[in-house]
Amino acid sequence: MTTVKPDAGVRRAMLSQMIFIRAFEDRLAELAPQKDALPGMQILATGQEAVAVGVMAPLGSEDVIITNHRSHGHLLARGADPETLMAEIMGRATGVNRGKSGTLHLIVPQVNALMTSTVVGAGPPMAVGAAFAQQYREEKAITVVFFGDGAAAEGSVHEAMNLAAIWKLPLLFVCENNCWAGAQSLAEHCAVGNIAARASAYGMPGQLVDGNNPDEVLEAASQLAGHCREGRGPALMEAFTYRLRGHGEHDRQHYVDPEELALWKAKDPVTTYGVKLTEEGVVAVQDIESMEREAGKRVDEAVAFGQSSPFPKPEEALEHVWVESPWGTP
Ligand SMILES: Cc1ncc(C[n+]2csc(CCOP(=O)(O)OP(=O)(O)O)c2C)c(N)n1
Ligand SMILES: [Mg+2]
């Protein structure tokens, strides 16, 4: 694929976002084993930051995103407020969902992040609904749904792709192929290595990109999002990347070949993109250091905000969990 490089400002912004996402999740990794610091399972997207920033870059504020259990990077790249996001991950009442979702069901309406589904393969059918609404209302907006290589083997994902193609919905499917689904390797759960190739079975464009290269992700996302926005139907992007940590923070990756892990650590997208932009004269080493300092400061502020916030009161448990339908109760 020939890559037209985005301009320097966009590339600097992508690097800065990747550094921030990494710092945010590294802090979660530190907090996760500490008693009572974070409720629930922590699922991090360390190593997948380039997919998040590259896909979000060409989107407009009116576009909708639907993400999965590995959502923090997507939401931060989309512009979610780190303080209320961190507070939610900590289960606090000041959190973006008032402490009722925790890390696994985050919804950030301020940035049109409609849903985080932890049910593997459940995001794409919901995205069909969101994209149908956009088409029905004749909006120019599109929906982007993120799912994993494991989810790609779920029947619901195939049904969603089929329906989206039949109805020509403005829906961009983004499969983050991080080579693992829990403790199952790609070869164990996927009959064909190339998930993007399945797009032709639904008559939509499919593109495989290097998910560790934000420039390439951005270029493909912008082309495919353009296709969806022009009313030409859905598209599929497969971003090939790697999950650098365990499935969740409880998982010590005993099943991962250390050589494979080392190979991918050498391709760490945050480090390699920093080196690339330095070599190309887009940023100086000092710029990266200042991005890292700024990221650390913002993460400190987010953690302090979360830790100083109260937990929701038990008597509020049933508040804000139901919206009356405009069509009345059936
Ligand atoms: C329907 C369903 N089956 C199984 C699970 C348990 N589970 C949670 S994440 C996961 C692996 C998903 O792998 P993938 O789609 O590749 O996403 P990744 O975790 O690699 O980001 C599994 C099996 C679940 N949450 N939902
Ligand atoms: Mg996976």
Side-chain angles (χ1 to χ4, degrees):
M1 177 182 139
T2 52
T3 304
V4 181
K5 283 198 184 119
D7 72 39
V10 171
R11 297 176 87 202
R12 266 196 299 272
M14 287 200 293
L15 176 63
S16 165
Q17 279 185 322
M18 288 168 72
I19 288 173
F20 179 61
I21 294 167
R22 177 65 61 88
F24 189 96
E25 290 209 307
D26 277 354
R27 191 67 59 87
L28 291 176
E30 256 173 60
L31 291 169
Q34 296 175 23
K35 190 168 181 303
D36 296 334
L38 300 172
M41 186 173 174
Q42 292 303 317
I43 297 186
L44 309 182
T46 310
Q48 301 177 213
E49 296 85 353
V51 185
V53 304
V55 170
M56 297 311 164
L59 299 186
S61 58
E62 69 287 2
D63 295 325
V64 164
I65 69 155
I66 292 183
T67 166
N68 63 0
H69 51 281
R70 218 171 284 288
S71 69
H72 305 146
H74 302 150
L75 297 171
L76 290 169
R78 180 69 180 152
D81 168 49
E83 294 196 353
T84 48
L85 196 71
M86 183 63 88
E88 188 59 49
I89 294 167
M90 293 180 167
R92 309 296 171 127
T94 54
V96 70
N97 304 129
R98 300 170 193 262
K100 287 175 184 165
S101 77
T103 171
L104 290 182
H105 303 280
L106 293 160
I107 293 172
V108 190
Q110 295 81 356
V111 295
N112 265 344
L114 214 61
M115 173 58 102
T116 293
S117 178
T118 329
V119 178
V120 172
M126 287 190 275
V128 166
F132 176 79
Q134 289 166 326
Q135 185 189 60
Y136 187 76
R137 294 178 186 139
E138 299 181 2
E139 293 172 5
K140 266 282 153 231
I142 68 164
T143 296
V144 178
V145 61
F146 292 89
F147 58 101
D149 45 290
E154 295 280 352
S156 54
V157 175
H158 299 279
E159 291 178 39
M161 287 181 181
N162 189 45
L163 208 49
I166 292 169
W167 289 346
K168 286 204 171 306
L169 297 180
L171 176 49
L172 175 56
F173 293 92
V174 177
C175 179
E176 265 180 285
N177 183 349
N178 61 7
C179 301
W180 290 98
Q184 271 197 315
S185 68
L186 190 63
E188 284 176 291
H189 69 73
C190 189
V192 289
N194 185 338
I195 293 168
R198 295 185 196 167
S200 64
Y202 304 105
M204 62 178 165
Q207 203 164 328
L208 172 63
V209 298
D210 174 358
N212 280 25
N213 178 349
D215 294 335
E216 197 176 314
V217 175
L218 186 157
E219 171 75 3
S222 120
Q223 278 170 13
L224 296 174
H227 167 94
C228 300
R229 212 179 294 283
E230 285 157 19
R232 294 158 68 201
L236 168 64
M237 179 203 288
E238 175 187 359
F240 193 69
T241 178
Y242 198 81
R243 195 193 72 197
L244 288 180
R245 298 183 71 85
H247 172 67
E249 286 309 290
H250 57 284
D251 173 8
R252 300 274 76 93
Q253 294 173 291
H254 58 277
Y255 49 85
V256 176
D257 175 358
E259 272 183 35
E260 177 183 296
L261 190 57
L263 207 83
W264 281 94
K265 277 195 174 155
K267 294 197 262 186
D268 182 323
V270 181
T271 323
T272 53
Y273 198 49
V275 170
K276 185 174 170 192
L277 293 199
T278 318
E279 283 172 0
E280 291 181 23
V282 177
V283 292
V285 173
Q286 294 87 322
D287 296 330
I288 298 184
E289 287 165 356
S290 109
M291 285 175 193
E292 285 168 349
R293 268 195 309 277
E294 178 62 18
K297 196 168 137 271
R298 287 175 68 207
V299 173
D300 286 344
E301 286 165 3
V303 170
F305 176 76
Q307 286 175 338
S308 63
S309 298
F311 286 102
K313 297 193 183 82
E315 57 270 26
E316 292 167 5
L318 296 181
E319 288 174 16
H320 305 289
V321 291
W322 177 256
V323 176
E324 282 305 328
S325 157
W327 298 283
T329 311

